[in-house]
Amino acid sequence: MADGYLTTHVLDTARGQPAGGLEISLYRIEGTKRSHLARMMTNTDGRTDKPILPKDQFTPGTYELVFEAGAYLDTVGTPPEQPRFLDQIPLRFGISDPDAHYHVPLLLSPFGYSTYRGS
């Protein structure tokens, strides 16, 4: 069994605080096939309560996290737009080391975002 796992963390940079209550879905990508693996909500610290891809499910491959930014922005009272500039934010990335901790954070504002491989 691999020792690696996947976590995420969402920070609302416009408000200067963690993005609690943001829904995240995880998919595994194999060619043109997209398989849903998990759906979680961030807690008050902007993290999921457990790894979004735990050790017992962790394998190398291509994955996609989809962050429901529009619904989160609506919830926290960001002035609405129709349609929102950012609604769903998909991040597709590769996992190559089965024993590593992959941390994929999202820094979010209503009009932009960034990500990186964290630790």
Side-chain angles (χ1 to χ4, degrees):
M1 181 189 322
D3 283 331
Y5 59 101
L6 172 66
T7 58
T8 188
H9 187 198
V10 185
L11 297 172
D12 183 332
T13 58
R15 297 173 65 220
Q17 61 191 39
L22 189 145
E23 186 176 300
I24 304 166
S25 294
L26 175 67
Y27 298 87
R28 182 171 172 88
I29 310 299
E30 296 174 283
T32 59
K33 183 179 176 193
R34 187 175 183 245
S35 302
H36 184 260
L37 300 178
R39 179 173 287 121
M40 295 185 176
M41 191 76 71
T42 57
N43 59 27
T44 57
D45 192 37
R47 301 174 188 274
T48 56
D49 288 331
K50 59 184 181 176
I52 198 156
L53 188 61
K55 290 181 182 185
D56 64 342
Q57 298 173 26
F58 193 83
T59 57
T62 302
Y63 293 86
E64 183 176 81
L65 285 168
V66 178
F67 297 85
E68 298 293 337
Y72 164 79
L73 294 168
D74 289 344
T75 300
V76 298
T78 302
E81 306 173 283
Q82 290 301 323
R84 277 223 178 261
F85 179 70
L86 292 176
D87 186 22
Q88 293 184 325
I89 299 173
L91 297 179
R92 193 167 286 192
F93 57 96
I95 290 176
S96 58
D97 184 348
D99 296 314
H101 171 199
Y102 282 75
H103 184 67
V104 182
L106 181 73
L107 305 176
L108 171 65
S109 78
F111 300 103
Y113 66 90
S114 65
T115 189
Y116 56 94
R117 180 171 174 195
S119 58

